[in-house]
Amino acid sequence: MAATAHPFIKIKQREQIFYLTNLPASIVVSVSYASVRGRDQEKGAVQRVLNTRRISNIKDFALNGGDFPNSIVMNWVKNNIKIDEEKGIITFIPEENSAQLIDGQHRVAGLKEAIAEQPEFGDYELPVAIYIGLSTKACADIFLAINTEQKPVHRSLVFDLYEIADEQIVDQAAARARDIAVELNEAGAPFYAMIKFPGEPPRKGGVALSTVVTAIKPLIEPNGIFDQVGLSTFENQSKAIVNFFSAMKLAYGDFWFDRQNAFMYAAGFSGAIDFLGKRIVPYCVKKKSFSDKTIRGAIDIPDSALIFQKELSGKGGTEAQRFVFNRLEESFVSEEVADDYEF
């Protein structure tokens, strides 16, 4: 097997040295492997078991034109590599199991599947950071630095950036949920100025964009609840959700924008969306109407039954969401269904 040579930049951070280079995806997938902690006994085993769904998503992301600007981080373990610091060239024989993956194992596995589907993708260049002969402790230190200290951005920012990102790499359901959040947040809408978008100053009360998108997304995904009942367009999905919260707003009257209204917080919003999907949607399908008038007919919340944030105090997120769902169900005016079915 012939050796391959690549220019590099030498980087020293504290006591560790690594070499930053660019390699074709075909070489990366051929020389690297994941050494799983608790399964593999070799030195440097710090990885987790692969998530097959994540691999499939990365493959699709790659084939749809996604970029991979973050470095794949390797610990080279075979004695088949040569560093020429004078010329700035790194040379190695691209043999299997030459380098352990410290960071990027899912990306590499996804790229491997992408190459299997489109072989020309093997020429795609990737930034790679190569350490040589690290101990298990050193691998663990680097892995933890990447996965704990270098935390991902807040999901609200991710969802907000979907508005301007290339549609090929956007989660379309999440992007539509963000657009619905904008509708809910506009003047005259039920959550006017109460949905917190990135860049806004911190404030008490209000629902983070990430919460809104995460709650709404299951309703509007392909084959989701709305899709199953024929609500597939943005206009219809948006109107159904806005009408639902408009009915809730009418039931609350002057208390709707009160800072203690539970629906102005994450658990209240999520519990309400859960109630919408499981109770209101079937009700509206039966009535063949998603108008706010129809929805108002399904909800009877007396002043004594309004849900306030203080009632959720001390409850965890899931528990608080379930509490809101149950309280709404107590106010649900469902029509009686015959229990004497003929079989």
Side-chain angles (χ1 to χ4, degrees):
M1 186 178 295
T4 181
H6 306 271
F8 69 81
I9 299 173
K10 180 181 178 179
I11 298 176
K12 182 176 182 180
Q13 295 179 342
R14 301 192 180 223
E15 301 303 317
Q16 297 292 355
I17 293 174
F18 65 91
Y19 303 92
L20 192 61
T21 186
N22 61 306
L23 300 176
S26 59
I27 290 181
V28 172
V29 302
S30 67
V31 302
S32 63
Y33 69 100
S35 187
V36 178
R37 179 170 175 78
R39 185 191 70 187
D40 302 318
Q41 301 304 312
E42 66 177 307
K43 181 172 68 174
V46 297
Q47 278 294 353
R48 52 199 156 179
V49 175
L50 288 168
N51 181 318
T52 54
R53 181 176 179 183
R54 189 174 173 194
I55 292 170
S56 178
N57 289 340
I58 291 173
K59 180 203 75 171
D60 293 340
F61 175 77
L63 294 177
N64 286 327
D67 294 323
F68 295 84
N70 288 349
S71 295
I72 306 295
V73 183
M74 298 178 174
N75 174 34
W76 207 277
V77 295
K78 275 193 175 181
N79 188 27
N80 60 354
I81 190 168
K82 180 181 178 181
I83 307 295
D84 188 332
E85 295 197 8
E86 184 176 339
K87 295 182 178 179
I89 297 293
I90 187 169
T91 306
F92 59 85
I93 300 172
E95 299 173 328
E96 290 185 355
N97 299 330
S98 291
Q100 296 170 333
L101 288 163
I102 299 176
D103 188 61
Q105 66 163 345
H106 284 94
R107 276 173 285 163
V108 171
L111 289 167
K112 186 175 183 178
E113 290 197 359
I115 294 171
E117 189 166 317
Q118 292 186 13
E120 61 272 21
F121 198 80
D123 295 330
Y124 188 95
E125 291 193 342
L126 298 168
V128 180
I130 299 176
Y131 291 84
I132 298 178
L134 293 177
S135 66
T136 301
K137 178 182 181 301
C139 288
D141 289 344
I142 295 168
F143 180 89
L144 290 173
I146 294 171
N147 290 285
T148 60
E149 298 304 321
Q150 300 175 26
K151 296 180 180 178
V153 298
H154 196 282
R155 296 298 290 173
S156 284
L157 178 57
V158 173
F159 295 141
D160 196 41
L161 289 173
Y162 281 162
E163 180 187 19
I164 58 175
D166 192 315
E167 66 177 15
Q168 290 183 317
I169 65 171
V170 167
D171 181 332
Q172 295 300 327
R176 177 171 288 193
R178 179 205 175 276
D179 291 342
I180 293 174
V182 171
E183 295 283 315
L184 286 168
N185 198 55
E186 290 184 345
F191 282 87
Y192 173 54
M194 294 304 293
I195 295 177
K196 295 185 282 191
F197 285 77
E200 295 182 2
R203 68 176 187 271
K204 184 178 180 180
V207 187
L209 175 64
S210 58
T211 298
V212 176
V213 171
T214 301
I216 290 176
K217 183 181 171 184
L219 293 182
I220 63 173
E221 287 179 319
N223 298 318
I225 295 171
F226 277 3
D227 201 21
Q228 292 173 27
V229 300
L231 296 182
S232 299
T233 67
F234 168 76
E235 182 180 17
N236 288 343
Q237 292 173 349
S238 177
K239 283 183 177 179
I241 293 173
V242 170
N243 287 350
F244 167 66
F245 280 114
S246 294
M248 296 293 297
K249 179 182 176 183
L250 186 65
Y252 266 68
D254 294 338
F255 288 107
W256 181 250
F257 286 109
D258 189 282
R259 295 178 72 178
Q260 282 302 311
N261 178 6
F263 298 107
M264 295 299 158
Y265 295 82
F269 185 91
S270 298
I273 290 293
D274 192 24
F275 180 75
L276 167 63
K278 293 178 179 177
R279 298 292 182 267
I280 297 300
V281 168
Y283 176 90
C284 288
V285 168
K286 184 176 181 180
K287 292 287 187 179
K288 299 188 183 306
S289 169
F290 279 85
S291 70
D292 54 355
K293 180 179 179 180
T294 297
I295 297 172
R296 287 200 303 271
I299 303 172
D300 181 18
I301 309 178
D303 291 345
S304 60
L306 299 180
I307 310 168
F308 292 104
Q309 185 64 14
K310 62 183 179 181
E311 298 178 71
L312 306 183
S313 178
K315 294 179 172 61
T318 302
E319 181 186 6
Q321 182 176 329
R322 174 54 55 183
F323 178 87
V324 171
F325 180 95
N326 290 338
R327 285 286 298 277
L328 285 174
E329 191 157 48
E330 292 173 2
S331 303
F332 181 45
V333 184
S334 59
E335 297 180 353
E336 291 187 7
V337 178
D339 60 1
D340 53 347
Y341 296 108
E342 180 178 340
F343 292 92

